Amino acid sequence: MNPPGPRVVALGGGHGLYASLSALRRVTRRLCAVVTVADDGGSSGRLRRELGVLPPGDLRMALAALCGDDDWGRTWRDVVQHRFRSEGALHEHAVGNLLIVALWELLGAQALTNGGAKSGANGDRADGAPSDGALTRAAVPAAGGAVVARTFEPAPVPGPGEGGAARREDPTVAGLDWVGRLLGAHGRVLPMASVPLDIVAQVRGADPDAPDAVTEVKGQVACAKTPGKVLSVSLVPPDPPACPDAVRAVEEADWVVFGPGSWFTSVLPHLKVPELARALTETKARRIVALNLAPQPGETDDFSPQTHLEVLQDHAPDLRVDVVVADRGVVDDPAALDRAVKDLGGRLLLADVAADDGSPRHDPARLAQAFVKIFRE
């Protein structure tokens, strides 16, 4: 059997985190994703507003990225990513979002994030019947296509921050572990905070009639689409409770990976959760920053690779970085980027990590090769 690999924690959300996890699961079996919980749009926003739960979409995408390349993994990845198309209330809801929220309700997570609702803290249903029996057995296909009864238990998932007792006591985390178990996920997925968050951005030029004015834009979707220049971000509430398992994962990790992804709405918010930010700056783990392949319209227009690092330093002055990974094909000024990396205490690795189709996407296999090179040095 191959060695399990280093203990790695990947931070972010959405498509950027999907890219890093798709690469990292190829090189380590001890992998944990710590995911932003500030989405307020689409299916996630609707479920968040209606039920008071954490927005599940970025968590779902992380779980999908950790699915294996066998038939089971590909099938369940497609299932959880599937969106309904209809003229009714289910339109655009992702199956995985509904599955995650259903488990949270059964396990009592809604009572913790919404001040008490349909599920009790002990996991009982609204009708008084205990829900744990419904989570012990399921009919699943065995080898050869036969359907057999299989027992699912939230078994320990290889990776940093594991610890059965603490995990089982948190219904939000337990629900994600259940889904990961069903999907055969190659790692663990955790929220960065225990409550839903809102991102607030300070933006210059959001109003075209006042290009020099700095205004406040609230909400992840609004921040991502703002026509102005984002200067900084903060969170509401300003001092949210970090997910304890996420903090422990960072403290116990060998490597922590920031990015790629939406810089202001997926990467930097982790550094605005005080307890998590402390862990990220004090951990003995080495830190990697994987830079984006292109600026994101509306959020990082005209950003150079080194500007991303300067903004990171502005938001976390005490954070030191060991390695920065950038695609050699998108770096116009390697010397300037190298200076910015050294200002953070790190070294620059230029590698070919972009997909061949010309899109601003990372190729999972190439990015995995870059991570392997870093981990071995």
Side-chain angles (χ1 to χ4, degrees):
M1 179 179 292
N2 294 328
R7 293 170 295 186
V8 181
V9 172
L11 309 173
H15 295 283
L17 182 60
Y18 190 100
S20 63
L21 293 175
S22 297
L24 287 165
R25 68 174 172 82
R26 300 164 184 248
V27 300
T28 181
R29 299 202 303 273
R30 299 191 290 178
L31 178 58
C32 179
V34 176
V35 185
T36 183
V37 286
D39 193 2
D40 59 351
S43 171
S44 288
R46 290 159 62 190
L47 291 168
R48 171 182 176 170
R49 288 187 292 273
E50 183 173 344
L51 300 174
V53 295
L54 296 178
D58 288 327
L59 298 162
R60 180 203 79 243
M61 284 195 68
L63 285 161
L66 292 175
C67 287
D69 295 320
D70 56 357
D71 286 342
W72 183 274
R74 288 192 297 268
T75 298
W76 278 107
R77 179 197 61 208
D78 292 345
V79 168
V80 298
Q81 293 285 70
H82 176 74
R83 290 184 183 273
F84 294 103
R85 299 288 185 267
S86 74
E87 299 297 325
L90 280 177
H91 182 63
E92 282 296 317
H93 269 308
V95 172
N97 289 357
L98 301 177
L99 175 62
I100 291 169
V101 172
L103 279 162
W104 284 345
E105 286 204 353
L106 288 168
L107 294 167
Q110 187 187 48
L112 300 182
T113 59
N114 197 29
K118 296 181 181 179
S119 300
N122 63 352
D124 290 354
R125 300 201 312 258
D127 59 7
S131 63
D132 54 347
L135 299 176
T136 56
R137 297 185 68 80
V140 299
V147 176
V148 299
R150 176 174 172 180
T151 299
F152 288 100
E153 295 181 5
V157 180
E162 57 193 13
R167 183 179 70 249
R168 291 172 188 271
E169 291 174 359
D170 184 339
T172 298
V173 172
L176 294 170
D177 285 342
W178 274 103
V179 179
R181 182 74 168 172
L182 175 64
L183 272 55
H186 292 234
R188 197 174 184 211
V189 173
L190 300 169
M192 72 176 186
S194 301
V195 297
L197 304 175
D198 284 307
I199 295 175
V200 178
Q202 298 297 315
V203 181
R204 178 182 290 120
D207 182 355
D209 295 328
D212 295 325
V214 176
T215 56
E216 191 174 272
V217 176
K218 184 176 181 180
Q220 179 172 311
V221 173
C223 292
K225 295 182 177 180
T226 179
K229 179 180 180 180
V230 180
L231 304 177
S232 64
V233 290
S234 58
L235 298 177
V236 176
D239 188 14
C243 171
D245 283 45
V247 172
R248 184 162 51 253
V250 170
E251 292 173 340
E252 297 175 359
D254 298 312
W255 290 91
V256 174
V257 180
F258 296 84
S262 302
W263 215 242
F264 285 102
T265 54
S266 291
V267 178
L268 296 180
H270 293 76
L271 296 165
K272 309 308 290 185
V273 178
E275 193 176 2
L276 184 59
R278 176 197 56 75
L280 289 167
T281 55
E282 295 180 359
T283 179
K284 294 181 180 179
R286 286 168 287 181
R287 304 168 188 85
I288 301 172
V289 174
L291 288 174
N292 294 335
L293 299 174
Q296 182 175 350
E299 189 170 320
T300 55
D301 283 320
D302 302 322
F303 269 35
S304 66
Q306 52 268 29
T307 305
H308 286 78
L309 298 182
E310 292 164 0
V311 170
L312 177 66
Q313 191 170 34
D314 288 342
H315 282 75
D318 296 329
L319 184 72
R320 309 309 294 168
V321 171
D322 295 275
V323 186
V324 173
V325 182
D327 184 83
R328 69 176 82 249
V330 302
V331 177
D332 296 329
D333 191 344
L337 179 57
D338 187 60
R339 288 193 296 271
V341 173
K342 289 179 178 177
D343 286 343
L344 287 170
R347 62 180 178 87
L348 174 63
L349 174 63
L350 293 176
D352 296 316
V353 294
D356 284 331
D357 59 6
S359 67
R361 297 184 304 106
H362 289 79
D363 179 89
R366 292 175 177 174
L367 186 57
Q369 290 174 357
F371 285 134
V372 168
K373 182 177 182 180
I374 292 170
F375 296 157
R376 286 178 177 174
E377 292 179 350

